[in-house]
Amino acid sequence: MKKVWERIAGSALLPFLSFLLAFFISGFFIAFSDANVLKTVGHPGKFITTALSTVGNAYLALFQGSIFDPNLTAGHGFMRGFYPLSETIVTATPLILTGLAVALAFQSGLFNIGAQGQFIFGAIGASYVGFHFTFSPVLHVALALIAGVVCAALYGGLVGLLKARTGAHEVIVTIMLNYIAGFFILWILKTTTFLRPRRIDPIAPDVKPSAQLPHLAGADFRLHAGILIALVAAYFVWWILNRTTIGFQFRAVGANASAARTAGISVSRVTISTMALCGALAGLGGAVHVLGSQYALTADIGGSFGFDAITVALLGRAKPFGTVLAALLFGALRTGGRTMQSNTTTPLDIVLVIQALIVLFIASPTLVRFIFKVKNLKTNAAMTAKGWNG
Amino acid sequence: MSLELNAITKSFGALIANDGINLAVNDGEIHAILGENGAGKSTLMNIVYGLLQPDSGEIKVDGKVVTINEPSDALAVGIGMVHQHFMLIPVFTVLENIVLGHENTSKVGKLKLHEARERLMKIANEFGFEIDPDAYVENLPVGVQQRVEILKALVYEAKVLILDEPTAVLTPQETDELIEVMKRLRAQGTSIIFISHKLREVKAVADRITVIRRGKVVATAQPSASQEELAALMVGRPVNLMPDKNPPKVGAPILVVKDLEILDPSGRALVSDVDFEVCAGEVLAIAGVQGNGQSELAEAMVNLQSHVRGSITVGGVEIVGKSVHESLHEGIAFVPESRELNGLIGSFSIAENLILDTHREAPYTKGFALSPKAVAIRGEEQAKEFDIRYQSIQDPVSSLSGGNKQKVVVARELSRPVKLVVASQPTRGLDVGSIEFVHERILAERDAGRAVLLFSTELDEVVALADRIAVMYAGKILAIVDATVSREELGLLMAGVKK
Ligand SMILES: Nc1ncnc2c1ncn2[C@@H]1O[C@H](COP(=O)(O)OP(=O)(O)OP(=O)(O)O)[C@@H](O)[C@H]1O
Ligand SMILES: [Mg+2]
């Protein structure tokens, strides 16, 4: 048991230190981009206190906007204070699934830049089944989810097929397919099948209540069952990778493709199935996003879930549970950032700075090691050079 | 320059890889280190070169204690190292590789290669190296790449040069050239620490020999000692350098190769007109200088080559056109030439590597599910049977010493029921004791009625194991001769001379 804990602590150390550093440095950005702080530059004493209070307020707002806000409890009871946490989880849910889509690909040695497109296809499939058909509640949700997953799995599998058959690089193919998905959704929302009656802006009808994911904490909170689906998916990815034959093959191809081939593992089959599975995960994200919180398909349904997924997977060290934590962190930064922007003078963009810095430090373990003087920082095998000598 | 190591100790977890090692290398001497696989030789050298930190002990250069935290510290005190796996950038020229990390630039940042070129040529002349500074490293043969590594060390004024198994990847000719280079360096006053499992080479160049066993210095020896004596010192028991061979009981043909042609992607023939048979109960060795088509021929046996014409049958079943998995399934054990590239997955555990090609089978797989427990149990059994030295079966295979890695590959391939064993360089990097063991296993496979196709560039190995020898030259089989052929004749055939 102790060993397991040591392993977790060992692999969480780098992200944790990067996190601290990123907040520390972002503090300077907050202070030096603030008009009030800059006014006091001439008076060192005043300067320091204003700077500290500005940074403190910004981070406090970030916390209140993402986890717990005592101001909300007035008149609504203590639990209402957790409304921001519910929002954090709602934002993180699709991100967990797209993050898993990228992480799984990393484990097979593939760079899935296409989670965005796969997410969009998942959203389209789920939305169509959700608003067009009528079924009994549980069945309807299940069918809508399946429709999203299948659409996106095909879209992702196409990448694998192209790579396996023609050698086309998955990064190029997925980037192109992201554009295609982006324009496809614009077009499909103009067709009579999808366009909401009596509307001209691109928006589809709401999915029927029978296809909506149930709320988990009552009608006051947007928290929905999608998070449970995402957690199950994370466990599923872990199980696939570590406890199944196909996962063994995924990891083998990811770690040393030519040794895997020599041992009789079909690299092209692994490539196709990985990409299909990644598509399915990202598509599940899209489906959950539509059925759980958006209800209506819009042209910008994808947001940046598919792109942030790359960062999230990187931060989560391409491990399923790491990805969950990273996605929750990103969800918190995003929702908290909005509160920070409205309650303080610090702009939302600082959140991007924080995110970028975290990734920067994760990607340069030598720097973090140097700053904190820690010796054996674990770096990520999936993402650093694969060389090893004997 | 003299180098002295005092009581160097280094452990990895519970394993003591170096246990109070004392070693003195005198000015201008070639000091050989002998030791079993996993004895701690590379660990010791990595400590001297600053790649690892010792737990305790001190390093003295010319009598003064030095601290070496990084390779740059080692270079600063005049210690250079050539790794078994070269640290060169293939798409750079020789000169660019040599200045790498020590670039001199003009004010606007333009590389100033002029001085470096002069310096390189001066040193190359001084030591009698022939080298084209503008050749791209990827186009150079392995032996020449190694010389670039040595030059790199010399350009930065290494006075002690560490060579860790430099000959493992060289052809016999390249090895002879390296030995000449080493002698020339010694004559110029450079000290060399030389690690090799090939006793013949050690005897040929070493001035003194230190023997390490399980992390401790157990003996020093003179190069005049016989190979048998040296082998016994290393392993701690008498070693049979020439395996005892029963007369072959040759059965029906198992592997039949007809009109085989292997093309590269551009359609050029790498191997052509190859016809041969291997029968049950015999060893056919394919000898030849590296790069004459043996690697491609070996890979074609399990369909790892994509452009193959002709026919390969195993037990009457056509192999050409099948997938790798199907070919292996027809009853072929395949030991690939390079364990690092094709044999092992470095980040996978020892246990996982031991089932790399059988992971789909029971008891490891049930339905979709893979049982880590069954994998671990099997791993421990096999590791024990093949004397693989490890700490935990769950450790990544990359933490094993070179020879133990090779044993993982051999163990995996030789413990499946097969009809045909295809083994390329099966003892590369192994110590004499392990070579004896692997040779016995291969002969046991033969005596159990399997066909064995052996690819080896080691003449000693070919002569020790083969019943018949096919010599490859320029992609063709020049001749198939009986194993009783003289070494001279074999040498001539390998050079392409047919009587
Ligand atoms: N980074 C590491 N972590 C854990 N164990 C290690 C590590 N490096 C080496 N070892 C262990 O230390 C021992 C000595 O290894 P070393 O590589 O020095 O052997 P060697 O004498 O060079 O053997 P070979 O002749 O096979 O190359 C081995 O048992 C090896 O498994
Ligand atoms: Mg070694």
Side-chain angles (χ1 to χ4, degrees):
Chain A
M1 199 56 221
K2 186 156 169 259
K3 236 183 159 178
V4 174
W5 175 243
E6 271 171 16
R7 277 235 307 273
I8 294 173
S11 60
L13 189 59
L14 175 64
F16 178 71
L17 294 178
S18 305
F19 181 85
L20 281 188
L21 269 178
F23 271 87
F24 180 73
I25 293 176
S26 302
F28 288 91
F29 280 96
I30 295 174
F32 283 101
S33 65
D34 192 275
N36 291 329
V37 176
L38 290 180
K39 265 187 229 151
T40 64
V41 162
H43 324 278
K46 211 170 159 201
F47 173 72
I48 291 177
T49 47
T50 345
L52 282 179
S53 80
T54 308
V55 174
N57 283 336
Y59 286 159
L60 182 67
L62 200 58
F63 176 81
Q64 289 184 346
S66 60
I67 314 267
F68 183 81
D69 188 349
N71 302 325
L72 296 175
T73 56
H76 297 284
F78 180 74
M79 289 313 287
R80 188 55 183 267
F82 283 108
Y83 184 79
L85 182 62
S86 150
E87 287 302 295
T88 291
I89 295 174
V90 169
T91 314
T93 301
L95 208 45
I96 293 176
L97 289 160
T98 49
L100 289 172
V102 178
L104 179 64
F106 268 139
Q107 295 276 359
S108 297
L110 295 165
F111 283 90
N112 179 17
I113 311 294
Q116 186 74 14
Q118 296 148 13
F119 182 91
I120 290 174
F121 269 82
I124 294 175
S127 159
Y128 181 70
V129 173
F131 72 72
H132 194 264
F133 299 100
T134 319
F135 295 104
S136 61
V138 176
L139 183 65
H140 201 176
V141 172
L143 288 176
L145 286 174
I146 291 171
V149 166
V150 170
C151 286
L154 292 175
Y155 205 59
L158 179 66
V159 179
L161 195 68
L162 285 171
K163 175 159 180 136
R165 284 287 142 77
T166 67
H169 199 284
E170 77 274 10
V171 170
I172 313 271
V173 175
T174 48
I175 289 175
M176 293 303 149
L177 287 180
N178 283 344
Y179 283 113
I180 294 177
F183 288 108
F184 182 77
I185 191 172
L186 271 178
W187 170 76
I188 206 172
L189 282 172
K190 294 208 176 102
T191 63
T192 46
T193 328
F194 272 84
L195 188 61
R196 191 185 283 208
R198 291 178 302 284
R199 287 286 283 266
I200 45 165
D201 55 323
I203 184 165
D206 278 349
V207 295
K208 301 215 168 97
S210 56
Q212 295 176 3
L213 288 167
H215 284 227
L216 293 182
D220 287 344
F221 296 92
R222 291 206 304 152
L223 183 66
H224 57 81
I227 183 66
L228 302 180
I229 295 177
L231 292 178
V232 170
Y235 177 78
F236 175 74
V237 169
W238 177 87
W239 179 77
I240 288 268
L241 282 173
N242 296 295
R243 290 288 182 274
T244 68
T245 315
I246 183 87
F248 183 86
Q249 300 184 352
F250 284 6
R251 286 187 296 121
V253 170
N256 182 350
S258 63
R261 199 166 84 94
T262 306
I265 295 171
S266 162
V267 177
S268 48
R269 206 177 300 158
V270 164
T271 305
I272 297 172
S273 30
T274 306
M275 285 310 298
L277 202 54
C278 290
L281 286 164
L284 187 60
V288 160
H289 191 50
V290 166
L291 305 175
S293 64
Q294 301 299 302
Y295 304 141
L297 191 68
T298 54
D300 57 2
I301 190 92
S304 61
F305 287 113
F307 300 119
D308 288 352
I310 300 166
T311 325
V312 162
L314 204 72
L315 188 58
R317 309 168 71 82
K319 298 270 166 33
F321 300 111
T323 303
V324 170
L325 292 180
L328 285 170
L329 172 68
F330 266 51
L333 284 174
R334 266 210 225 171
T335 41
R338 273 181 240 126
T339 310
M340 183 174 75
Q341 167 146 300
S342 54
N343 292 6
T344 69
T345 47
T346 306
L348 180 59
D349 307 305
I350 281 296
V351 165
L352 293 181
V353 174
I354 299 176
Q355 289 179 2
L357 285 172
I358 294 177
V359 174
L360 189 83
F361 288 124
I362 296 252
S364 34
T366 326
L367 185 62
V368 179
R369 200 180 298 146
F370 174 74
I371 294 172
F372 286 95
K373 305 268 182 285
V374 269
K375 255 194 182 168
N376 300 316
L377 259 195
K378 268 207 204 163
T379 50
N380 195 337
M383 276 164 263
T384 46
K386 283 173 189 156
W388 58 290
N389 40 45
Chain B
M1 194 175 91
S2 71
L3 176 73
E4 208 181 314
L5 307 180
N6 284 335
I8 300 280
T9 297
K10 170 80 186 173
S11 38
F12 296 107
L15 179 120
I16 306 176
N18 285 170
D19 192 353
I21 290 191
N22 296 317
L23 186 78
V25 181
N26 300 333
D27 206 9
E29 120 178 305
I30 299 182
H31 195 121
I33 300 185
L34 280 179
E36 287 178 284
N37 295 128
K41 306 178 294 294
S42 298
T43 303
L44 186 66
M45 293 306 117
N46 287 337
I47 289 172
V48 174
Y49 192 57
L51 289 167
L52 289 174
Q53 299 306 315
D55 302 336
S56 63
E58 59 179 17
I59 302 173
K60 281 187 184 168
V61 170
D62 284 337
K64 278 200 291 287
V65 177
V66 292
T67 19
I68 300 177
N69 291 321
E70 286 180 51
S72 58
D73 299 339
L75 284 173
V77 296
I79 300 171
M81 178 159 175
V82 175
H83 294 265
Q84 190 174 333
H85 295 269
F86 305 147
M87 312 273 179
L88 297 173
I89 298 183
V91 295
F92 277 17
T93 63
V94 170
L95 183 61
E96 285 167 340
N97 264 293
I98 285 178
V99 297
L100 191 70
H102 305 261
E103 302 88 351
N104 226 338
T105 54
S106 68
K107 285 212 182 67
V108 288
K110 191 178 177 308
L111 255 188
K112 285 201 290 191
L113 289 176
H114 191 68
E115 285 165 29
R117 178 188 300 270
E118 275 179 4
R119 185 155 170 68
L120 169 64
M121 293 323 286
K122 186 170 152 271
I123 291 188
N125 283 335
E126 211 172 287
F127 291 96
F129 282 49
E130 267 175 43
I131 199 115
D132 171 8
D134 299 312
Y136 286 94
V137 163
E138 60 185 349
N139 299 333
L140 299 175
V142 177
V144 179
Q145 293 191 17
Q146 189 172 58
R147 226 162 300 156
V148 175
E149 285 272 24
I150 295 176
L151 261 174
K152 193 169 176 173
L154 294 177
V155 166
Y156 298 109
E157 298 178 340
K159 295 280 180 281
V160 176
L161 196 59
I162 301 171
L163 303 175
D164 190 355
E165 294 194 46
T167 58
V169 288
L170 299 186
T171 64
Q173 284 85 337
E174 286 173 328
T175 301
D176 292 343
E177 287 169 30
L178 177 70
I179 287 179
E180 285 314 306
V181 166
M182 285 167 63
K183 286 182 175 161
R184 237 175 294 144
L185 288 173
R186 170 173 60 191
Q188 308 262 2
T190 310
S191 315
I192 298 177
I193 302 181
F194 176 57
I195 298 179
S196 173
H197 287 295
K198 297 180 194 163
L199 303 174
R200 190 192 298 273
E201 296 163 3
V202 169
K203 278 170 60 70
V205 288
D207 298 313
R208 273 197 306 159
I209 301 170
T210 295
V211 183
I212 299 182
R213 199 188 312 147
R214 295 187 185 238
K216 288 199 173 98
V217 173
V218 291
T220 50
Q222 294 302 318
S224 54
S226 73
Q227 291 199 30
E228 281 74 15
E229 283 165 354
L230 291 175
L233 277 178
M234 266 169 82
V235 186
R237 62 175 167 85
V239 178
N240 201 350
L241 292 175
M242 202 60 193
D244 307 317
K245 226 158 78 178
N246 302 325
K249 292 200 230 27
V250 179
I254 300 278
L255 171 70
V256 182
V257 177
K258 274 207 191 94
D259 297 329
L260 195 74
E261 192 178 28
I262 305 174
L263 309 173
D264 71 3
S266 65
R268 203 166 51 95
L270 300 169
V271 170
S272 54
D273 303 328
V274 167
D275 291 271
F276 64 85
E277 282 182 7
V278 189
C279 299
E282 75 161 345
V283 177
L284 175 70
I286 309 260
V289 175
Q290 187 121 34
N292 276 291
Q294 303 99 307
S295 310
E296 290 79 9
L297 183 60
E299 289 191 350
M301 296 299 135
V302 288
N303 277 304
L304 282 163
Q305 284 284 332
S306 29
H307 306 278
V308 177
R309 287 193 215 135
S311 153
I312 301 171
T313 57
V314 174
V317 181
E318 180 62 53
I319 293 291
V320 176
K322 280 194 182 341
S323 73
V324 181
H325 177 58
E326 286 163 345
S327 321
L328 292 170
H329 214 75
E330 283 306 327
I332 306 177
F334 183 70
V335 177
E337 182 179 307
S338 161
R339 58 174 176 264
E340 259 81 18
L341 291 179
N342 301 319
L344 296 171
I345 297 183
S347 58
F348 273 32
S349 71
I350 302 164
E352 285 177 319
N353 272 288
L354 281 166
I355 55 138
L356 215 50
D357 52 3
T358 48
H359 68 273
R360 295 181 187 79
E361 294 164 15
Y364 322 118
T365 289
K366 286 196 192 99
F368 289 110
L370 190 75
S371 158
K373 208 172 188 176
V375 173
I377 291 173
R378 174 67 172 162
E380 277 171 3
E381 277 170 19
Q382 271 184 303
K384 193 159 173 226
E385 187 183 343
F386 283 79
D387 189 26
I388 297 167
R389 307 260 170 96
Y390 66 95
Q391 284 186 67
S392 157
I393 204 79
Q394 304 301 351
D395 284 346
V397 83
S398 56
S399 72
L400 293 182
S401 76
N404 279 300
K405 282 180 194 162
Q406 182 69 18
K407 283 197 211 168
V408 171
V409 179
V410 172
R412 176 178 77 213
E413 297 304 321
L414 293 192
S415 46
R416 255 182 323 130
V418 292
K419 302 186 190 110
L420 169 69
V421 176
V422 177
S424 288
Q425 318 294 353
T427 56
R428 183 173 277 176
L430 291 189
D431 65 42
V432 282
S434 308
I435 290 176
E436 179 191 27
F437 178 72
V438 170
H439 283 175
E440 278 167 8
R441 289 298 295 220
I442 289 178
L443 289 176
E445 296 286 313
R446 175 192 85 149
D447 293 343
R450 273 153 218 151
V452 178
L453 182 62
L454 171 79
F455 291 82
S456 181
T457 48
E458 288 300 319
L459 269 188
D460 289 340
E461 179 160 87
V462 167
V463 172
L465 295 181
D467 296 310
R468 289 185 301 142
I469 302 171
V471 180
M472 264 191 109
Y473 183 78
K476 292 187 163 61
I477 289 192
L478 202 60
I480 299 187
V481 295
D482 203 77
T484 50
V485 69
S486 71
R487 270 174 181 263
E488 288 67 39
E489 196 175 331
L490 261 185
L492 282 175
L493 280 171
M494 283 167 73
V497 182
K498 198 174 171 184
K499 274 191 288 192

